[in-house]
Amino acid sequence: MSRLFAGTPFDIPPKCDDCGELVSHCKCTPAEKAASEARRQQAADRQQREAGRLSPESQTAVIRVQKRKGGRKATVITGLTDLANDLPALLKQLQADCGSGGTVKPKEDLLEIQGDHADRIRKSLSALGYRVKG
């Protein structure tokens, strides 16, 4: 008897989280248990990220056009944090609107779009509800 309330009316034998059977009668393989634990962890991570999201109205995006070597230009969007937004999804939408390539730098909390697309990006972000500066 290793459980705290074993042998009392409060004794509730532990059940498997996957199949619902008593742990002593569980037929789940270690691979199935590992897969279900990974799914639970992904769901918890997704829920935690969604809890930290901010509404677009409460954020301000700063748009700048930078000159690069060779005379190329890049539009840089700062002020949007990776924790409060889904930056890769936002980048894809902005790339589609501009018809251009770009990248996300989550450590620096910035988006880069190739070329001078400040006006288009300003309109796109305003349409999504973000406040825009620059």
Side-chain angles (χ1 to χ4, degrees):
M1 294 200 176
S2 62
R3 294 188 311 272
L4 181 63
F5 296 109
T8 68
F10 300 106
D11 183 24
I12 301 173
K15 294 186 178 185
C16 176
D17 293 333
D18 301 328
C19 63
E21 294 289 326
L22 294 176
V23 172
S24 59
H25 297 98
C26 178
K27 296 179 180 123
C28 298
T29 64
E32 290 172 340
K33 286 185 182 259
S36 66
E37 180 60 33
R39 282 193 301 272
R40 279 193 293 274
Q41 185 63 37
Q42 286 175 349
D45 291 345
R46 191 176 317 113
Q47 186 178 15
Q48 184 179 12
R49 284 186 65 85
E50 292 299 322
R53 299 274 189 237
L54 296 175
S55 66
E57 296 82 21
S58 64
Q59 300 178 63
T60 302
V62 180
I63 301 173
R64 291 193 178 91
V65 177
Q66 295 180 348
K67 278 191 167 182
R68 303 289 169 92
K69 65 180 180 180
R72 295 175 291 143
K73 293 182 180 180
T75 306
V76 179
I77 302 132
T78 58
L80 306 175
T81 63
D82 188 40
L83 296 174
N85 297 290
D86 187 9
L87 291 184
L90 181 60
L91 176 71
K92 278 187 176 185
Q93 187 169 0
L94 293 174
Q95 285 176 326
D97 290 345
C98 296
S100 178
T103 187
V104 175
K105 296 190 177 176
K107 289 183 181 176
E108 301 165 17
D109 286 333
L110 64 86
L111 300 169
E112 289 183 355
I113 305 283
Q114 297 170 353
D116 184 358
H117 300 286
D119 294 331
R120 264 190 216 152
I121 291 173
R122 189 174 293 110
K123 288 177 187 175
S124 296
L125 288 175
S126 295
L128 292 172
Y130 291 96
R131 291 179 291 182
V132 180
K133 279 187 179 179

